Amino acid sequence: MKILTILGARPQFIKAGSVSREIAKRSEIQETIVHTGQHYDANMSDIFFDEMKIPKPDYFLGIGGKSHGAMTGQMIEKIEEVCLKEKPDWVMVYGDTNSTLAGAIVASKLHIKLAHIEAGLRSFNMKMPEEVNRILTDRVSQILFCPTDTAVENLKNEGYDNLDVKVIKSGDVMQDGAIFYKSLAQKLSCDIQDNFILCTIHRAENTDDATRLKNIFKALNEIAKETQIILPLHPRTKKIIDELQIDTKNLTIIDPVGYLEMVWLIDNCSLVMTDSGGLQKEAYFFQKQCITLRDETEWVELVENGFNTLVGADYEKILKAYQTSTAFRSKELDLYGSGRASQKIISELLVYEL
Ligand code: UD1
Ligand code: UDP
């Protein structure tokens, strides 16, 4: 069986690490990796391939730093060329980025079977580019691997029971990674206090709205007077902060870090504040409370169970959530599977082929 894996952005490298390790155990599967180039800086891309021991991409398309249309369009053209040459049995895509959508469109037009990992998630906010990408990708897939019960339920509500598509609850591949990489965590060399908050911000809904971004940083600057905030800064956010000359003086801003350092930061922080999708779950994996700087989340089970507080970009709400935050309250829950999602995904693909 020949799988063509499409990767392009940081969270996809992290998710694919676990699945690629699983594929490597099966002699009956060959994986060809296409890196679209959506993320291209060394610390947004290469470091993950090295640390996670993902095989070097067979194809590097070099399509990054462009508008949605230019990026997705050029990816479609190039991925199509690769598919025509490689003739895979499956195209495999992860998550909800423009690279995901490009891979989905090519596979569906060429009648190649499409597997979507992290399917069924919804924010119900159609202004998010990710929401559009995930809805369109789900709709043209043959097999949908859902990380949560909510994701399965979302698809049911959209009528997927009546479609010729296999919906499988696989659990979350990020859980697999968190377990695997925990023992490999690496401490950073920057000045870190005993008690610190880990923060990341990169979502378009925050970076592309000056009022939201300013409110968030005003609140962070205030909190940082009391508790150190370490913020590995995404290049998109860095660019806009510089343009708007937003004050970050109280924050410990560092370049994006590799995953092994990130795991150390998550494991050792006292609180996570983020607008990242992946980091909301990782906070839970490492038993940390999370304050989410968004108006809604796809990971609703974290909010419902009291592990995550949604505060949007509201200055008062951010401060209040910080002031009232408590220690993580452990509960016997299995929200994201037991860390064997990759194994399940590969087994199901092999069964599908029979
Ligand atoms: C993308 C995804 C988002 C995901 C995020 C993970 C889409 C629509 N968005 O957002 O869902 O959460 O990746 O990080 O696919 N840049 C660099 N160097 C890089 C990468 C990006 O400088 O290595 C800068 C470029 O100016 C680029 C901008 O960041 O234009 C935005 O990058 P892009 O890939 O378009 O979107 P992200 O914000 O990273
Ligand atoms: N991450 C990382 N280094 C960083 C920032 C994030 O390794 O400097 C990891 C993070 O732990 C998570 C993944 O990148 O596993 C999430 O990526 P991101 O927040 O960019 O995207 P999202 O999950 O929101 O799509």
Side-chain angles (χ1 to χ4, degrees):
M1 187 167 90
K2 215 168 160 182
I3 297 179
L4 192 90
T5 299
I6 312 288
L7 305 176
R10 175 168 67 188
Q12 293 168 331
F13 309 141
I14 293 165
K15 290 163 199 167
S18 299
V19 180
S20 280
R21 264 197 312 283
E22 199 53 43
I23 293 176
K25 290 183 200 159
R26 317 276 186 137
S27 56
E28 66 271 52
I29 308 180
Q30 286 164 265
E31 183 180 33
T32 302
I33 296 181
V34 178
H35 185 330
T36 62
Q38 179 167 352
H39 287 177
Y40 46 88
D41 287 347
N43 56 0
M44 293 291 288
S45 174
D46 303 5
I47 190 165
F48 297 102
F49 278 83
D50 294 343
E51 286 180 340
M52 316 197 100
K53 309 219 175 340
I54 304 171
K56 287 269 171 280
D58 300 278
Y59 294 88
F60 182 75
L61 308 182
I63 304 161
K66 299 181 196 301
S67 69
H68 287 279
M71 190 193 296
T72 314
Q74 288 175 28
M75 285 176 190
I76 291 172
E77 192 178 348
K78 294 284 173 206
I79 295 171
E80 183 181 65
E81 283 170 18
V82 176
C83 282
L84 289 171
K85 182 162 168 240
E86 294 290 336
K87 299 186 175 46
D89 300 297
W90 287 92
V91 167
M92 189 181 263
V93 293
Y94 293 83
D96 51 23
T97 72
N98 291 340
S99 301
T100 314
L101 178 62
I105 289 176
V106 172
S108 64
K109 300 273 174 150
L110 294 180
H111 305 164
I112 300 167
K113 292 191 290 288
L114 179 69
H116 185 201
I117 297 180
E118 231 183 38
L121 296 172
R122 298 289 182 264
S123 66
F124 302 101
N125 175 359
M126 287 300 283
K127 290 214 171 110
M128 277 181 81
E130 293 85 358
E131 183 76 352
V132 176
N133 291 343
R134 51 173 93 100
I135 289 175
L136 298 179
T137 301
D138 281 346
R139 187 60 188 82
V140 293
S141 296
Q142 275 60 55
I143 189 160
L144 293 166
F145 292 111
C146 297
T148 60
D149 289 327
T150 310
V152 174
E153 201 58 34
N154 287 338
L155 293 176
K156 257 195 196 129
N157 293 339
E158 289 176 21
Y160 274 72
D161 281 353
N162 305 318
L163 300 179
D164 184 19
V165 53
K166 209 165 168 188
V167 175
I168 291 164
K169 185 185 160 195
S170 55
D172 195 318
V173 291
M174 287 196 104
Q175 169 85 287
D176 303 17
I179 294 169
F180 186 82
Y181 293 106
K182 187 173 158 86
S183 63
L184 303 171
Q186 285 173 6
K187 190 172 183 217
L188 276 85
S189 50
C190 76
D191 175 27
I192 302 175
Q193 292 164 16
D194 287 345
N195 185 28
F196 70 91
I197 296 170
L198 172 63
C199 180
T200 73
I201 297 161
H202 75 281
R203 278 257 109 67
E205 72 215 55
N206 287 330
T207 59
D208 296 3
D209 181 326
T211 310
R212 286 182 72 97
L213 199 62
K214 284 178 184 168
N215 280 343
I216 289 173
F217 274 92
K218 193 172 153 211
L220 294 179
N221 268 317
E222 197 55 36
I223 295 168
K225 288 181 187 163
E226 196 173 285
T227 309
Q228 183 185 25
I229 296 183
I230 299 184
L231 173 53
L233 196 57
H234 190 289
R236 166 201 273 283
T237 318
K238 179 174 175 8
K239 205 160 104 191
I240 297 171
I241 281 180
D242 290 347
E243 275 166 21
L244 297 176
Q245 299 186 325
I246 288 179
D247 179 11
T248 60
K249 65 174 176 303
N250 297 336
L251 312 178
T252 308
I253 298 224
I254 57 176
D255 285 338
V257 295
Y259 197 56
L260 303 184
E261 290 185 327
M262 194 61 182
V263 167
W264 187 90
L265 285 168
I266 306 166
D267 203 20
N268 287 279
C269 71
S270 52
L271 178 69
V272 171
M273 297 179 75
T274 191
D275 62 8
S276 159
L279 195 48
Q280 290 175 57
K281 283 178 291 169
E282 288 165 333
Y284 167 75
F285 300 154
F286 290 92
Q287 307 217 319
K288 300 295 150 72
Q289 286 295 126
C290 183
I291 295 174
T292 296
L293 304 158
R294 288 182 52 196
D295 298 326
E296 70 278 310
T297 180
E298 300 76 24
W299 309 105
V300 288
E301 51 288 321
L302 294 175
V303 178
E304 284 159 6
N305 287 289
F307 301 120
N308 191 347
T309 310
L310 287 177
V311 291
D314 184 305
Y315 175 78
E316 300 294 340
K317 279 193 192 164
I318 298 171
L319 283 190
K320 183 160 175 248
Y322 160 72
Q323 283 152 0
T324 56
S325 68
T326 53
F328 187 87
R329 285 178 295 264
S330 231
K331 291 183 194 169
E332 286 299 312
L333 291 172
D334 180 14
L335 299 178
Y336 298 103
S338 51
R340 294 157 74 90
S342 310
Q343 207 177 328
K344 170 114 180 128
I345 287 167
I346 297 307
S347 305
E348 290 287 349
L349 281 180
L350 287 167
V351 169
Y352 191 106
E353 287 290 289
L354 292 176

